[in-house]
Amino acid sequence: WYKSRSKISTELKDFIFQHFLKKSKDAKSAKTAKDNTSSLCSARGNLVFEEYERSSSFNWTTEVEFNHSILIWHIATDLCYHSNGGKKSAAKNLRCKGSKNLSDYMLYLLVMCPFLLPIGIGMIRFQDTCEEAKHFFQEKGLSKNKVKFCKMLLEVNTDVEPIKVKGDRSKSVLFNANKLAKQLQEMGEEKNW
């Protein structure tokens, strides 16, 4: 329930505008803008990996709903942010700060203004993920130290999919976000932001 305001830099606004402009030029019509797997409407993170010619463990366009991708990317962004130095890193890297601000804003929309996003089970995913994170905190005996939490979470083995352990009962995305954060960190600090 915490809110904060953050100024968005001119560079970030320009970056976002240029991205929309490029995608609008790539789309021949409104139908192709929605249907094309690399279109803006269906892009849910895959473009980052395509740009740097890397593979991802997710098929973002077919396996992941929009609200699901928001939550995964938010947690992965937080894991990278806090394990890379947090505010100190953001002060030196405008893309880091911009990524964190956009991530926080998208989570705000998901939790506080879900009516602005496509219909899905975003709140259920959010609540299950919060519970899993609390359980991890308690299990590891951690205080409310985000840096330690992020580092310990990034040490968790992500080789075995949680569905094989828990089944499909849980809608938590903590495991997938952890896996994504590791993939982003492999890209190096400059590229991952």
Side-chain angles (χ1 to χ4, degrees):
W1 302 115
Y2 296 95
K3 288 186 196 177
S4 62
R5 298 203 184 273
S6 182
K7 284 200 175 249
I8 302 300
S9 69
T10 306
E11 292 84 5
L12 181 58
K13 289 178 187 177
D14 188 51
F15 176 79
I16 293 169
F17 177 76
Q18 293 302 322
H19 185 72
F20 280 126
L21 187 63
K22 180 183 180 298
K23 286 296 164 189
S24 68
K25 286 179 181 177
D26 291 347
K28 305 294 183 227
S29 68
K31 183 174 174 27
T32 59
K34 288 183 179 181
D35 295 342
N36 186 348
T37 57
S38 64
S39 74
L40 190 58
C41 294
S42 64
R44 299 193 178 132
N46 55 316
L47 300 178
V48 171
F49 295 101
E50 287 174 14
E51 183 176 336
Y52 294 107
E53 298 175 358
R54 298 191 59 111
S55 63
S56 172
S57 61
F58 302 102
N59 185 351
W60 292 99
T61 55
T62 58
E63 293 176 9
V64 181
E65 292 178 4
F66 185 67
N67 59 51
H68 189 166
S69 67
I70 289 173
L71 202 47
I72 289 174
W73 278 96
H74 174 74
I75 295 168
T77 301
D78 250 27
L79 288 171
C80 291
Y81 178 81
H82 290 293
S83 64
N84 288 345
K87 289 182 182 179
K88 290 178 186 175
S89 182
K92 292 184 247 173
N93 187 332
L94 288 175
R95 284 193 173 185
C96 173
K97 183 178 180 180
S99 294
K100 177 72 170 124
N101 285 340
L102 284 175
S103 173
D104 288 348
Y105 179 64
M106 292 305 295
L107 184 70
Y108 170 80
L109 290 179
L110 178 70
V111 175
M112 302 303 293
C113 307
F115 53 87
L116 294 175
L117 301 173
I119 295 173
I121 59 168
M123 280 308 293
I124 294 169
R125 285 190 209 288
F126 177 73
Q127 291 166 344
D128 280 7
T129 304
C130 286
E131 286 304 313
E132 188 172 11
K134 285 178 194 174
H135 180 73
F136 184 82
F137 246 115
Q138 292 167 348
E139 185 181 282
K140 300 295 181 187
L142 296 170
S143 61
K144 303 260 183 207
N145 184 326
K146 285 184 181 180
V147 175
K148 281 184 182 177
F149 175 79
C150 291
K151 288 184 178 180
M152 287 188 84
L153 190 58
L154 286 168
E155 290 173 4
V156 171
N157 183 351
T158 56
D159 292 339
V160 179
E161 295 286 329
I163 198 162
K164 291 179 181 172
V165 177
K166 296 180 181 179
D168 61 354
R169 295 183 314 269
S170 174
K171 299 298 179 201
S172 172
V173 301
L174 197 58
F175 174 86
N176 289 336
N178 186 11
K179 200 170 189 175
L180 175 61
K182 289 177 182 181
Q183 290 174 342
L184 291 170
Q185 287 184 326
E186 286 173 6
M187 296 170 77
E189 197 170 336
E190 194 57 39
K191 288 181 182 177
N192 72 353
W193 295 116

